[in-house]
């Protein structure tokens, strides 16, 4: 009957023994952090550990870095699983190409804009407005402001400025 | 990138003076700067800056398209021709027949601005038609 008295104590001792062998969450976290800090690419990753499950978060530069950091975390003793919530930078959005007005629309718009500048001749070809003739310096900005607003590809200003 | 450097004082000033929807794009050797200036004075200052970099605007490497933001509540505009009357036309274009005239300095009613260059206006005499936007200024 003695064995029955001792048994619970043995179970308890065994349990404590196992518990002490298993690394604590805080220790796991510290180990993972140490291993990630060694690489500048993952130095900013945050680590959380709950009952042996490690969660990684933060921004890394690419998928390869993301996968490598999960492998590093898995290799740490006591880690049962890794939840990888690391994010990648948003892709850079290329700016929309410049839209150039069609020649027909541009030609009539240029005609309207240059109507009051009798010494200026304007020609439109493939979106390029070519200006020839003469203009007074004081009137030049006004003409250029108007033409720049018409979505030309380019303004080739060959005006003689007086 | 060289063009962006050349016109950097201009784009810096645009940013500093509150130009919205600012877009700076370089394509085939031409820099395109688009944006909306909060006031006409800001637009003029940007053009003055452009004039400092390229005095006669003869480089052929910049398209500076700056609009001036206008409060939607604005319904009155002033005719800012040099001295002459402003033609009011049946449609948007100088090929359109003239349906009326507004005097230099006169204040007329702005009906809509659906076309950037030609605004639909109405004079106090009730003549309605399109006038060239460059000769109109918000009151």
């Amino acid at each position: 009957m003695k064995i029955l008295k001792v048994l619970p104590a043995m179970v308890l001792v065994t349990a404590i023994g196992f518990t002490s062998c298993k690394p604590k969450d805080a220790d796991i976290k510290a180990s993972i952090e140490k291993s990630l800090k060694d690489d500048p690419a993952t130095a900013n990753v945050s680590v959380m550990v709950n009952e042996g499950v490690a969660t990684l978060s933060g921004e890394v530069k690419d998928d390869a870095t993301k996968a490598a950091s999960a492998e590093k975390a898995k290799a740490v003793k006591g880690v049962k699983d890794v939840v990888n919530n690391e994010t990648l930078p948003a892709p850079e959005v290329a700016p929309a190409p410049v839209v150039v007005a069609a020649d027909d629309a541009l030609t009539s718009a240029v005609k309207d804009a240059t109507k009051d500048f009798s010494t200026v001749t304007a020609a439109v070809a493939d979106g390029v407005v070519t200006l020839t003739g003469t203009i007074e310096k004081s009137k030049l900005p006004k003409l250029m402001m108007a033409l720049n607003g018409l979505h030309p590809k380019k303004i080739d200003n060959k005006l003689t400025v007086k | 990138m060289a063009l962006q450097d050349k016109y950097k004082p201009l784009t810096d000033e645009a940013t500093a003076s509150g130009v919205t929807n600012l877009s700076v794009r370089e394509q085939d050797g031409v820099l395109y700067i688009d944006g909306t200036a909060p006031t006409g004075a800001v637009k003029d200052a940007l053009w003055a800056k452009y004039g400092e970099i390229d005095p006669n605007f003869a480089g052929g490497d910049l398209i500076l398209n700056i609009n001036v933001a206008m409060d939607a509540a604005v319904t009155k505009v002033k005719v800012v021709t040099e001295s002459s009357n402003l033609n009011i036309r049946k449609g948007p274009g100088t090929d359109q027949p003239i349906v009326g005239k507004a005097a230099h300095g006169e204040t007329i009613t702005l009906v809509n601005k659906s076309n950037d260059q030609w605004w639909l206006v109405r004079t106090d005499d009730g003549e309605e038609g399109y006038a060239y936007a460059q000769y109109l200024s918000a009151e």
Side-chain angles (χ1 to χ4, degrees), chain A residues 96 112 116 142 148 153 157, chain B residues 25 32 56 64 94 134-135:
Chain A
D112 293 347
D116 294 338
K142 188 137 189 157
N148 274 255
K153 185 178 183 186
N157 175 11
Chain B
R25 294 172 290 180
Y32 298 82
N56 286 337
L64 180 61
T94 50
Q134 200 178 17
Y135 296 118

Side-chain angles (χ1 to χ4, degrees), chain A residues 140-156:
Chain A
L140 182 61
K142 188 137 189 157
L143 173 66
M144 292 305 281
M145 280 183 202
L147 293 174
N148 274 255
L150 304 178
H151 303 287
K153 185 178 183 186
K154 178 181 174 174
I155 298 175
D156 200 357

Side-chain angles (χ1 to χ4, degrees), chain A residues 36-48:
Chain A
L36 294 180
K37 287 266 185 303
D38 290 343
D39 182 352
T42 54
N44 294 321
V45 171
S46 316
V47 181
M48 279 186 354

Side-chain angles (χ1 to χ4, degrees), chain B residues 68-99:
Chain B
V68 177
M70 200 189 271
D71 196 324
V74 168
T75 55
K76 292 287 180 185
V77 287
K78 191 174 175 185
V79 176
V80 289
T81 51
E82 262 177 54
S83 61
S84 56
N85 291 335
L86 178 64
N87 290 330
I88 297 173
R89 294 175 183 274
K90 192 175 178 188
T94 50
D95 52 351
Q96 296 288 313
I98 296 169
V99 295

